[in-house]
Coordinates of all heavy atoms in Angstrom, one line a residue:
V1 N 8.4 -14.2 -5.5 CA 9.4 -13.2 -5.0 C 10.8 -13.9 -5.2 O 11.7 -13.2 -5.7 CB 9.1 -12.8 -3.6 CG1 10.2 -12.0 -3.0 CG2 7.8 -12.0 -3.5
E2 N 10.9 -15.1 -4.7 CA 12.2 -15.7 -4.8 C 12.7 -15.9 -6.2 O 13.9 -15.7 -6.5 CB 12.2 -17.1 -4.1 CG 12.1 -17.0 -2.6 CD 12.1 -18.3 -1.9 OE1 12.6 -19.3 -2.5 OE2 11.6 -18.4 -0.7
E3 N 11.8 -16.2 -7.1 CA 12.1 -16.4 -8.5 C 12.7 -15.1 -9.1 O 13.7 -15.2 -9.9 CB 10.9 -16.8 -9.3 CG 11.1 -16.9 -10.8 CD 9.8 -17.3 -11.5 OE1 8.9 -17.7 -10.9 OE2 9.8 -17.1 -12.8
F4 N 12.3 -14.0 -8.7 CA 12.8 -12.7 -9.2 C 13.8 -12.1 -8.3 O 14.3 -11.0 -8.6 CB 11.6 -11.7 -9.4 CG 10.6 -12.2 -10.3 CD1 9.3 -12.6 -9.9 CD2 10.8 -12.2 -11.7 CE1 8.4 -13.1 -10.8 CE2 9.9 -12.7 -12.6 CZ 8.7 -13.1 -12.1
K5 N 14.2 -12.8 -7.3 CA 15.2 -12.3 -6.3 C 14.9 -10.9 -5.8 O 15.7 -10.0 -5.6 CB 16.6 -12.3 -7.0 CG 17.0 -13.6 -7.6 CD 17.2 -14.7 -6.6 CE 17.8 -15.9 -7.3 NZ 17.2 -17.1 -6.9
F6 N 13.6 -10.7 -5.4 CA 13.2 -9.4 -4.9 C 12.7 -9.6 -3.5 O 11.8 -10.4 -3.2 CB 12.0 -8.8 -5.7 CG 11.6 -7.5 -5.4 CD1 12.3 -6.4 -5.9 CD2 10.5 -7.2 -4.5 CE1 12.0 -5.1 -5.5 CE2 10.2 -5.9 -4.2 CZ 10.9 -4.9 -4.7
S7 N 13.4 -9.0 -2.5 CA 13.1 -9.2 -1.1 C 12.5 -8.0 -0.5 O 12.3 -6.9 -1.1 CB 14.4 -9.5 -0.4 OG 15.2 -8.3 -0.3
Y8 N 12.1 -8.2 0.8 CA 11.5 -7.1 1.6 C 12.6 -6.0 1.7 O 12.2 -4.8 1.6 CB 11.2 -7.6 3.0 CG 10.5 -6.6 3.9 CD1 9.2 -6.2 3.7 CD2 11.2 -6.1 4.9 CE1 8.6 -5.3 4.5 CE2 10.6 -5.1 5.8 CZ 9.4 -4.7 5.5 OH 8.8 -3.8 6.4
E9 N 13.8 -6.3 1.8 CA 14.9 -5.3 1.9 C 14.9 -4.5 0.6 O 15.1 -3.2 0.6 CB 16.2 -5.9 2.2 CG 16.3 -6.5 3.6 CD 16.0 -5.4 4.7 OE1 16.5 -4.3 4.6 OE2 15.2 -5.8 5.6
D10 N 14.8 -5.1 -0.6 CA 14.7 -4.4 -1.8 C 13.5 -3.5 -1.9 O 13.6 -2.3 -2.3 CB 14.6 -5.4 -3.0 CG 15.8 -6.3 -3.2 OD1 16.9 -5.7 -3.1 OD2 15.6 -7.5 -3.5
L11 N 12.4 -4.0 -1.4 CA 11.2 -3.2 -1.4 C 11.4 -1.9 -0.5 O 11.0 -0.8 -0.9 CB 10.0 -3.9 -0.8 CG 8.7 -3.2 -0.6 CD1 8.2 -2.8 -2.0 CD2 7.7 -4.0 0.1
K12 N 12.1 -2.0 0.6 CA 12.3 -0.9 1.5 C 13.2 0.2 0.8 O 13.2 1.3 1.2 CB 12.9 -1.3 2.8 CG 11.9 -2.1 3.7 CD 12.3 -2.4 5.1 CE 13.7 -2.4 5.4 NZ 14.0 -2.9 6.8
R13 N 14.0 -0.2 -0.2 CA 14.8 0.8 -0.9 C 14.1 1.5 -2.0 O 14.6 2.3 -2.7 CB 16.1 0.1 -1.4 CG 17.1 -0.3 -0.3 CD 18.4 -0.7 -0.8 NE 18.3 -1.9 -1.6 CZ 18.4 -3.1 -1.1 NH1 18.6 -3.3 0.2 NH2 18.4 -4.2 -1.9
S14 N 12.8 1.1 -2.2 CA 12.0 1.6 -3.3 C 11.3 2.8 -2.7 O 11.4 3.2 -1.6 CB 11.0 0.6 -3.8 OG 11.7 -0.5 -4.3
S15 N 10.5 3.5 -3.6 CA 9.7 4.6 -3.1 C 8.4 4.7 -3.9 O 8.3 4.2 -5.1 CB 10.4 5.9 -3.1 OG 10.8 6.3 -4.5
R16 N 7.5 5.4 -3.4 CA 6.2 5.8 -4.0 C 5.4 4.5 -4.6 O 5.1 4.5 -5.7 CB 6.4 6.8 -5.1 CG 7.0 8.1 -4.6 CD 7.2 9.1 -5.7 NE 7.8 10.3 -5.2 CZ 9.0 10.7 -5.4 NH1 9.8 9.9 -6.2 NH2 9.5 11.8 -5.0
I17 N 5.2 3.6 -3.7 CA 4.4 2.5 -4.0 C 3.1 2.5 -3.1 O 3.3 2.7 -1.9 CB 5.2 1.1 -3.8 CG1 6.4 1.1 -4.7 CG2 4.3 -0.1 -4.1 CD1 7.3 -0.1 -4.4
L18 N 2.0 2.2 -3.7 CA 0.7 2.2 -2.9 C 0.0 0.9 -3.1 O -0.4 0.5 -4.2 CB -0.2 3.4 -3.4 CG -1.5 3.6 -2.7 CD1 -1.3 3.8 -1.2 CD2 -2.2 4.7 -3.4
F19 N 0.0 0.2 -2.0 CA -0.8 -1.1 -2.0 C -2.2 -0.8 -1.5 O -2.4 -0.3 -0.4 CB -0.1 -2.1 -1.0 CG 1.3 -2.5 -1.4 CD1 2.4 -2.0 -0.9 CD2 1.4 -3.5 -2.4 CE1 3.7 -2.4 -1.3 CE2 2.7 -3.9 -2.8 CZ 3.8 -3.4 -2.3
T20 N -3.2 -1.2 -2.3 CA -4.6 -1.0 -1.8 C -5.2 -2.4 -1.7 O -5.0 -3.3 -2.5 CB -5.4 -0.2 -2.8 OG1 -5.4 -0.8 -4.1 CG2 -4.8 1.2 -3.0
N21 N -5.8 -2.6 -0.6 CA -6.3 -3.9 -0.2 C -7.8 -3.9 0.2 O -8.2 -3.2 1.1 CB -5.5 -4.5 1.0 CG -4.0 -4.5 0.7 OD1 -3.6 -5.2 -0.2 ND2 -3.3 -3.7 1.4
G22 N -8.6 -4.6 -0.6 CA -10.0 -4.9 -0.2 C -10.0 -6.0 0.8 O -9.6 -7.1 0.4
M23 N -10.4 -5.8 2.0 CA -10.3 -6.8 3.0 C -11.3 -8.0 2.8 O -11.2 -9.0 3.5 CB -10.4 -6.2 4.4 CG -9.3 -5.1 4.7 SD -7.6 -5.7 4.3 CE -7.3 -6.7 5.8
Q24 N -12.3 -7.8 2.0 CA -13.3 -8.8 1.6 C -12.8 -9.7 0.5 O -13.5 -10.6 0.1 CB -14.6 -8.2 1.3 CG -15.2 -7.4 2.4 CD -15.4 -8.2 3.7 OE1 -15.9 -9.3 3.7 NE2 -15.0 -7.6 4.8
D25 N -11.6 -9.3 0.0 CA -11.0 -10.1 -1.1 C -9.9 -11.0 -0.6 O -9.0 -10.5 0.1 CB -10.4 -9.1 -2.1 CG -9.8 -9.8 -3.3 OD1 -9.6 -11.0 -3.4 OD2 -9.4 -9.0 -4.3
M26 N -9.9 -12.3 -0.9 CA -9.0 -13.2 -0.3 C -7.5 -12.8 -0.7 O -6.6 -13.2 0.0 CB -9.3 -14.6 -0.7 CG -9.0 -14.9 -2.1 SD -9.3 -16.6 -2.5 CE -8.8 -16.7 -4.1
W27 N -7.3 -12.1 -1.7 CA -6.0 -11.8 -2.2 C -5.3 -10.8 -1.2 O -4.0 -10.6 -1.3 CB -6.0 -11.2 -3.6 CG -6.4 -12.2 -4.6 CD1 -7.6 -12.3 -5.2 CD2 -5.6 -13.3 -5.0 NE1 -7.6 -13.4 -6.1 CE2 -6.4 -14.1 -6.0 CE3 -4.3 -13.8 -4.8 CZ2 -6.0 -15.2 -6.6 CZ3 -3.9 -14.9 -5.4 CH2 -4.7 -15.6 -6.3
H28 N -6.0 -10.1 -0.4 CA -5.3 -9.2 0.6 C -4.3 -10.0 1.4 O -3.3 -9.4 1.9 CB -6.3 -8.5 1.5 CG -6.9 -9.2 2.6 ND1 -8.0 -10.0 2.5 CD2 -6.4 -9.4 3.9 CE1 -8.2 -10.6 3.6 NE2 -7.3 -10.2 4.5
A29 N -4.5 -11.3 1.6 CA -3.6 -12.1 2.4 C -2.2 -12.1 1.8 O -1.2 -12.3 2.6 CB -4.1 -13.5 2.6
G30 N -2.0 -11.9 0.6 CA -0.7 -11.9 -0.1 C -0.1 -10.5 -0.3 O 0.9 -10.4 -1.0
S31 N -0.7 -9.5 0.3 CA -0.3 -8.1 0.1 C 0.4 -7.6 1.4 O 0.4 -8.3 2.4 CB -1.5 -7.2 -0.3 OG -1.0 -5.9 -0.6
Y32 N 0.9 -6.4 1.3 CA 1.4 -5.7 2.5 C 0.2 -4.9 3.1 O -0.5 -4.2 2.4 CB 2.5 -4.7 2.1 CG 3.7 -5.4 1.7 CD1 4.0 -5.7 0.4 CD2 4.7 -5.8 2.7 CE1 5.2 -6.4 0.0 CE2 5.8 -6.4 2.3 CZ 6.1 -6.7 1.0 OH 7.2 -7.4 0.7
L33 N -0.1 -5.2 4.3 CA -1.2 -4.6 5.0 C -0.8 -3.4 5.9 O -1.7 -2.7 6.4 CB -2.0 -5.6 5.8 CG -2.5 -6.8 5.1 CD1 -3.1 -7.8 6.0 CD2 -3.4 -6.4 3.9
D34 N 0.5 -3.2 6.1 CA 1.0 -2.1 6.8 C 2.0 -1.3 6.0 O 2.6 -1.9 5.1 CB 1.7 -2.6 8.1 CG 0.8 -3.3 9.0 OD1 -0.3 -2.7 9.4 OD2 1.1 -4.5 9.4
D35 N 2.1 0.0 6.3 CA 3.1 0.8 5.6 C 4.5 0.2 5.8 O 4.8 -0.3 6.9 CB 3.1 2.2 6.1 CG 1.8 3.0 5.8 OD1 1.0 2.5 5.0 OD2 1.6 4.1 6.4
V36 N 5.3 0.2 4.7 CA 6.6 -0.3 4.8 C 7.6 0.8 5.1 O 8.5 0.6 6.0 CB 7.0 -1.0 3.4 CG1 8.4 -1.5 3.5 CG2 6.0 -2.2 3.1
T37 N 7.4 1.9 4.5 CA 8.2 3.1 4.8 C 7.2 4.3 4.6 O 6.0 4.2 4.4 CB 9.3 3.3 3.7 OG1 8.8 3.6 2.4 CG2 10.2 2.1 3.7
D38 N 7.8 5.5 4.7 CA 6.9 6.7 4.6 C 6.4 7.0 3.2 O 5.5 7.8 2.9 CB 7.5 8.0 5.2 CG 8.8 8.3 4.5 OD1 9.3 7.6 3.7 OD2 9.3 9.5 4.7
S39 N 7.0 6.2 2.2 CA 6.5 6.4 0.8 C 6.1 5.0 0.2 O 5.8 5.0 -1.0 CB 7.5 7.1 0.0 OG 8.6 6.2 -0.3
I40 N 6.0 4.0 1.0 CA 5.5 2.7 0.5 C 4.4 2.4 1.5 O 4.6 2.0 2.6 CB 6.6 1.6 0.6 CG1 7.8 2.0 -0.3 CG2 5.9 0.3 0.1 CD1 8.9 1.0 -0.3
L41 N 3.2 2.7 1.0 CA 2.0 2.7 1.8 C 1.0 1.6 1.5 O 0.9 1.1 0.4 CB 1.3 4.1 1.6 CG 2.1 5.3 1.7 CD1 1.3 6.6 1.3 CD2 2.8 5.5 3.0
A42 N 0.3 1.3 2.6 CA -0.8 0.3 2.5 C -2.1 0.9 2.9 O -2.1 1.4 4.0 CB -0.5 -1.0 3.3
L43 N -3.1 0.8 2.1 CA -4.4 1.3 2.5 C -5.3 0.1 2.4 O -5.4 -0.6 1.4 CB -4.9 2.3 1.5 CG -4.1 3.6 1.4 CD1 -4.8 4.5 0.3 CD2 -4.1 4.3 2.7
N44 N -6.0 -0.1 3.5 CA -6.9 -1.3 3.7 C -8.4 -0.8 3.7 O -8.7 0.1 4.5 CB -6.6 -2.1 4.9 CG -5.1 -2.5 4.9 OD1 -4.7 -3.1 3.9 ND2 -4.4 -2.3 6.0
F45 N -9.2 -1.5 2.9 CA -10.6 -1.1 2.9 C -11.5 -2.3 3.4 O -11.6 -3.3 2.7 CB -11.0 -0.8 1.4 CG -10.2 0.3 0.9 CD1 -9.1 0.1 0.0 CD2 -10.4 1.6 1.3 CE1 -8.3 1.1 -0.5 CE2 -9.6 2.7 0.8 CZ -8.5 2.4 -0.1
E46 N -12.0 -2.0 4.6 CA -12.8 -3.1 5.3 C -13.8 -3.7 4.4 O -14.1 -4.9 4.4 CB -13.4 -2.5 6.6 CG -14.0 -3.6 7.4 CD -13.0 -4.6 7.9 OE1 -11.8 -4.3 8.2 OE2 -13.4 -5.8 8.0
N47 N -14.5 -2.9 3.6 CA -15.6 -3.4 2.8 C -15.2 -3.6 1.3 O -16.0 -3.9 0.5 CB -16.8 -2.4 2.8 CG -17.4 -2.3 4.2 OD1 -17.8 -3.3 4.8 ND2 -17.4 -1.1 4.8
G48 N -14.0 -3.4 1.1 CA -13.5 -3.6 -0.3 C -13.4 -5.0 -0.7 O -13.2 -5.9 0.0
A49 N -13.7 -5.2 -2.0 CA -13.6 -6.6 -2.6 C -12.8 -6.4 -3.8 O -12.1 -5.4 -4.1 CB -15.0 -7.1 -3.0
H50 N -12.7 -7.5 -4.6 CA -11.7 -7.5 -5.8 C -12.0 -6.3 -6.7 O -13.0 -6.2 -7.3 CB -12.0 -8.8 -6.5 CG -10.8 -9.1 -7.4 ND1 -9.6 -9.4 -7.0 CD2 -10.8 -9.2 -8.8 CE1 -8.8 -9.6 -8.0 NE2 -9.5 -9.5 -9.1
H51 N -11.0 -5.5 -6.8 CA -10.9 -4.3 -7.7 C -11.9 -3.2 -7.2 O -11.9 -2.2 -8.0 CB -11.2 -4.7 -9.1 CG -10.0 -5.5 -9.7 ND1 -8.9 -4.9 -10.2 CD2 -9.9 -6.8 -9.8 CE1 -8.1 -5.8 -10.7 NE2 -8.6 -7.0 -10.4
S52 N -12.6 -3.3 -6.2 CA -13.5 -2.2 -5.8 C -12.8 -0.9 -5.5 O -13.4 0.2 -5.6 CB -14.4 -2.6 -4.6 OG -13.6 -2.8 -3.5
D53 N -11.5 -1.0 -5.2 CA -10.7 0.2 -4.8 C -9.9 0.7 -6.0 O -9.1 1.6 -5.9 CB -9.8 -0.1 -3.7 CG -8.9 -1.4 -3.9 OD1 -9.4 -2.2 -4.7 OD2 -7.8 -1.5 -3.4
L54 N -10.1 0.2 -7.2 CA -9.2 0.5 -8.3 C -10.0 1.2 -9.5 O -9.4 1.2 -10.6 CB -8.5 -0.8 -8.8 CG -7.6 -1.4 -7.8 CD1 -7.1 -2.7 -8.4 CD2 -6.5 -0.5 -7.4
S55 N -11.1 1.7 -9.3 CA -11.9 2.3 -10.4 C -11.2 3.5 -10.9 O -10.7 4.3 -10.1 CB -13.3 2.7 -9.9 OG -14.0 3.4 -10.8
H56 N -11.1 3.6 -12.2 CA -10.5 4.8 -12.8 C -11.5 6.0 -13.0 O -11.1 7.0 -13.4 CB -9.9 4.4 -14.2 CG -10.9 4.1 -15.2 ND1 -11.6 2.9 -15.2 CD2 -11.4 4.8 -16.2 CE1 -12.5 2.9 -16.2 NE2 -12.4 4.0 -16.8
V57 N -12.7 5.8 -12.7 CA -13.7 6.8 -12.8 C -14.2 7.4 -11.5 O -15.0 8.3 -11.5 CB -15.0 6.3 -13.6 CG1 -14.6 5.9 -15.0 CG2 -15.6 5.1 -12.9
G58 N -13.7 6.9 -10.5 CA -14.0 7.5 -9.2 C -15.1 6.6 -8.5 O -15.7 5.7 -9.1
P59 N -15.4 6.9 -7.3 CA -16.4 6.1 -6.5 C -17.8 6.4 -7.1 O -18.1 7.4 -7.7 CB -16.3 6.7 -5.1 CG -15.7 8.0 -5.3 CD -14.9 8.0 -6.5
S60 N -18.7 5.4 -6.9 CA -20.1 5.6 -7.3 C -20.9 5.6 -6.1 O -20.5 5.3 -5.0 CB -20.4 4.4 -8.2 OG -20.6 3.2 -7.5
D61 N -22.2 5.8 -6.3 CA -23.2 5.8 -5.2 C -23.3 4.4 -4.6 O -23.8 4.3 -3.5 CB -24.6 6.3 -5.7 CG -24.6 7.7 -6.1 OD1 -23.7 8.5 -5.6 OD2 -25.4 8.2 -6.9
N62 N -22.9 3.4 -5.4 CA -23.0 2.0 -4.9 C -21.9 1.6 -4.0 O -21.9 0.6 -3.4 CB -23.1 1.0 -6.1 CG -24.3 1.2 -6.9 OD1 -25.4 1.5 -6.4 ND2 -24.2 1.1 -8.2
D63 N -20.8 2.4 -4.0 CA -19.6 2.1 -3.2 C -19.9 2.4 -1.7 O -20.6 3.3 -1.3 CB -18.4 2.9 -3.6 CG -17.9 2.4 -4.9 OD1 -17.8 1.2 -5.2 OD2 -17.4 3.2 -5.8
T64 N -19.2 1.6 -0.9 CA -19.3 1.9 0.6 C -18.5 3.1 1.0 O -17.7 3.6 0.2 CB -18.8 0.7 1.4 OG1 -17.4 0.4 1.0 CG2 -19.6 -0.6 1.1
E65 N -18.8 3.6 2.1 CA -18.1 4.9 2.6 C -16.6 4.7 2.6 O -15.9 5.7 2.2 CB -18.6 5.3 4.0 CG -18.1 6.6 4.5 CD -18.6 7.8 3.7 OE1 -19.6 7.7 3.0 OE2 -18.1 8.9 3.9
D66 N -16.1 3.6 3.0 CA -14.6 3.4 3.0 C -14.0 3.5 1.6 O -12.9 4.0 1.5 CB -14.2 2.2 3.8 CG -14.7 0.9 3.2 OD1 -15.8 0.9 2.6 OD2 -14.0 -0.2 3.4
I67 N -14.7 3.0 0.7 CA -14.2 3.1 -0.7 C -14.3 4.5 -1.2 O -13.3 5.0 -1.9 CB -15.0 2.1 -1.6 CG1 -14.8 0.7 -1.2 CG2 -14.6 2.3 -3.1 CD1 -13.3 0.2 -1.3
R68 N -15.3 5.2 -0.9 CA -15.5 6.6 -1.4 C -14.4 7.5 -0.7 O -13.7 8.2 -1.4 CB -16.8 7.1 -1.0 CG -17.9 6.6 -2.0 CD -19.2 7.4 -1.8 NE -19.8 7.3 -0.5 CZ -20.7 6.3 -0.2 NH1 -21.0 5.4 -1.0 NH2 -21.2 6.3 1.1
L69 N -14.2 7.3 0.6 CA -13.1 8.1 1.2 C -11.7 7.6 0.8 O -10.8 8.4 0.6 CB -13.2 7.9 2.8 CG -14.5 8.5 3.4 CD1 -14.5 8.2 4.8 CD2 -14.5 10.0 3.2
G70 N -11.6 6.3 0.5 CA -10.3 5.8 0.0 C -9.9 6.4 -1.3 O -8.7 6.7 -1.6
F71 N -10.9 6.5 -2.2 CA -10.6 7.1 -3.5 C -10.0 8.5 -3.3 O -9.1 8.9 -4.0 CB -11.9 7.2 -4.4 CG -11.6 7.7 -5.7 CD1 -11.2 6.8 -6.7 CD2 -11.9 9.0 -6.0 CE1 -10.9 7.3 -8.0 CE2 -11.6 9.5 -7.3 CZ -11.1 8.6 -8.3
I72 N -10.6 9.3 -2.4 CA -10.1 10.6 -2.2 C -8.6 10.6 -1.6 O -7.7 11.3 -2.0 CB -11.0 11.4 -1.2 CG1 -12.3 11.7 -1.9 CG2 -10.3 12.7 -0.7 CD1 -13.4 12.1 -0.9
Q73 N -8.4 9.6 -0.7 CA -7.1 9.5 -0.1 C -6.1 9.0 -1.2 O -5.0 9.6 -1.2 CB -7.2 8.4 1.0 CG -6.0 8.3 1.9 CD -6.1 7.4 3.0 OE1 -7.1 6.6 3.1 NE2 -5.2 7.4 4.0
I74 N -6.5 8.1 -2.0 CA -5.6 7.6 -3.1 C -5.2 8.8 -4.0 O -4.1 9.0 -4.4 CB -6.2 6.5 -3.9 CG1 -6.3 5.2 -3.0 CG2 -5.5 6.2 -5.2 CD1 -7.2 4.1 -3.6
T75 N -6.3 9.5 -4.4 CA -6.0 10.7 -5.3 C -5.1 11.7 -4.7 O -4.2 12.2 -5.4 CB -7.4 11.3 -5.7 OG1 -8.2 10.4 -6.3 CG2 -7.2 12.5 -6.6
N76 N -5.3 12.0 -3.4 CA -4.4 12.9 -2.7 C -2.9 12.4 -2.7 O -2.0 13.2 -2.9 CB -4.9 13.2 -1.3 CG -6.2 14.1 -1.4 OD1 -6.5 14.7 -2.3 ND2 -6.9 14.0 -0.3
I77 N -2.8 11.2 -2.3 CA -1.4 10.6 -2.3 C -0.7 10.7 -3.6 O 0.4 11.1 -3.8 CB -1.4 9.1 -1.8 CG1 -1.8 9.1 -0.3 CG2 -0.1 8.4 -2.0 CD1 -2.2 7.7 0.2
L78 N -1.4 10.3 -4.7 CA -0.8 10.3 -6.0 C -0.5 11.7 -6.5 O 0.5 11.9 -7.1 CB -1.7 9.5 -7.0 CG -2.0 8.1 -6.7 CD1 -2.9 7.5 -7.8 CD2 -0.6 7.3 -6.7
N79 N -1.4 12.6 -6.2 CA -1.1 14.0 -6.5 C 0.1 14.5 -5.8 O 0.9 15.2 -6.4 CB -2.4 14.9 -6.2 CG -3.4 14.8 -7.3 OD1 -3.1 14.7 -8.4 ND2 -4.7 15.0 -6.9
D80 N 0.2 14.2 -4.5 CA 1.4 14.7 -3.8 C 2.7 14.1 -4.4 O 3.7 14.8 -4.5 CB 1.3 14.2 -2.3 CG 0.3 15.0 -1.5 OD1 -0.2 16.0 -2.0 OD2 -0.1 14.5 -0.4
W81 N 2.6 12.8 -4.7 CA 3.8 12.2 -5.3 C 4.2 12.8 -6.7 O 5.3 13.0 -7.0 CB 3.6 10.7 -5.4 CG 3.7 9.9 -4.2 CD1 4.1 10.4 -2.9 CD2 3.3 8.6 -3.9 NE1 4.0 9.4 -2.0 CE2 3.6 8.3 -2.5 CE3 2.8 7.6 -4.7 CZ2 3.3 7.0 -2.0 CZ3 2.6 6.3 -4.2 CH2 2.8 6.1 -2.8
L82 N 3.2 13.1 -7.5 CA 3.4 13.7 -8.8 C 4.0 15.1 -8.6 O 4.9 15.4 -9.3 CB 2.1 13.7 -9.6 CG 1.6 12.4 -10.2 CD1 0.2 12.6 -10.8 CD2 2.6 11.9 -11.2
N83 N 3.5 15.8 -7.6 CA 4.1 17.1 -7.4 C 5.5 17.0 -6.9 O 6.4 17.8 -7.2 CB 3.2 17.9 -6.4 CG 1.9 18.4 -7.0 OD1 1.8 18.6 -8.2 ND2 0.9 18.5 -6.1
E84 N 5.8 16.0 -6.0 CA 7.2 15.8 -5.6 C 8.1 15.5 -6.8 O 9.2 16.1 -6.8 CB 7.3 14.6 -4.6 CG 6.7 14.9 -3.3 CD 6.6 13.6 -2.4 OE1 7.2 12.6 -2.8 OE2 6.0 13.7 -1.3
V85 N 7.7 14.7 -7.7 CA 8.5 14.3 -8.8 C 8.7 15.6 -9.7 O 9.8 15.8 -10.2 CB 7.8 13.2 -9.7 CG1 8.5 13.0 -11.0 CG2 7.8 11.9 -8.9
K86 N 7.7 16.4 -9.9 CA 7.8 17.6 -10.7 C 8.8 18.5 -10.0 O 9.7 19.1 -10.7 CB 6.5 18.3 -10.8 CG 5.5 17.6 -11.8 CD 4.2 18.3 -11.8 CE 3.2 17.5 -12.6 NZ 1.8 18.1 -12.5
E87 N 8.8 18.7 -8.7 CA 9.7 19.5 -8.0 C 11.1 19.0 -8.1 O 12.1 19.8 -8.4 CB 9.4 19.6 -6.5 CG 8.2 20.5 -6.2 CD 7.8 20.5 -4.7 OE1 8.8 20.4 -3.9 OE2 6.7 20.7 -4.4
E88 N 11.3 17.7 -8.0 CA 12.6 17.1 -8.1 C 13.2 17.3 -9.5 O 14.4 17.5 -9.7 CB 12.6 15.6 -7.8 CG 12.3 15.3 -6.3 CD 12.0 13.9 -6.0 OE1 12.1 13.0 -6.9 OE2 11.7 13.6 -4.8
A89 N 12.3 17.2 -10.5 CA 12.7 17.3 -11.9 C 13.1 18.7 -12.2 O 14.1 19.0 -13.0 CB 11.6 16.9 -12.9
G90 N 12.5 19.7 -11.5 CA 12.8 21.1 -11.7 C 14.1 21.5 -11.1 O 14.7 22.5 -11.5
K91 N 14.6 20.7 -10.2 CA 15.9 21.0 -9.5 C 17.1 20.6 -10.3 O 18.2 20.9 -10.0 CB 15.9 20.4 -8.1 CG 14.9 21.0 -7.1 CD 15.0 20.3 -5.8 CE 13.9 20.8 -4.9 NZ 13.9 20.1 -3.6
N92 N 16.8 19.7 -11.3 CA 17.9 19.1 -12.1 C 18.2 19.9 -13.3 O 17.6 20.6 -14.0 CB 17.6 17.7 -12.5 CG 17.6 16.8 -11.3 OD1 18.3 17.0 -10.3 ND2 16.7 15.8 -11.3

């Protein structure tokens, strides 16, 4: 962060960022675990491990309930953001 001169204050001026954290993955310790603003969100998956929350094909029968529900939540958030961007573009 220091190398790139990007701070928490810079982050708060951003928008539409979604941090997903598998709590069984040690890398969650370096992430944001709480929402930063109303459009910089953190979703934590108690049973999630490395990349279990990032499948591009959707949840499988092997995924835990929190990952299956999280996939729906992620999809809804991204759809809402895409619709916001479309609306904003239509106003210009």
Side-chain angles (χ1 to χ4, degrees):
V1 171
E2 288 181 22
E3 178 181 341
F4 299 107
K5 307 292 187 227
F6 188 80
S7 70
Y8 183 75
E9 293 305 312
D10 294 318
L11 178 65
K12 290 189 337 186
R13 289 190 295 272
S14 302
S15 65
R16 298 182 184 108
I17 300 172
L18 181 57
F19 294 99
T20 61
N21 304 296
M23 303 309 282
Q24 300 302 314
D25 182 350
M26 69 177 187
W27 292 106
H28 80 271
S31 184
Y32 289 93
L33 301 179
D34 298 305
D35 294 347
V36 177
T37 68
D38 62 348
S39 72
I40 302 176
L41 309 176
L43 298 178
N44 301 312
F45 303 102
E46 188 63 36
N47 297 301
H50 196 66
H51 292 274
S52 64
D53 53 334
L54 300 176
S55 171
H56 68 284
V57 295
S60 75
D61 292 338
N62 295 325
D63 287 322
T64 58
E65 185 70 12
D66 61 332
I67 296 298
R68 288 193 295 273
L69 293 174
F71 184 82
I72 294 167
Q73 191 175 11
I74 291 167
T75 301
N76 290 338
I77 290 168
L78 296 178
N79 280 329
D80 288 347
W81 287 348
L82 288 170
N83 288 331
E84 288 173 12
V85 170
K86 288 176 187 176
E87 285 180 29
E88 291 169 6
K91 293 178 183 178
N92 294 327

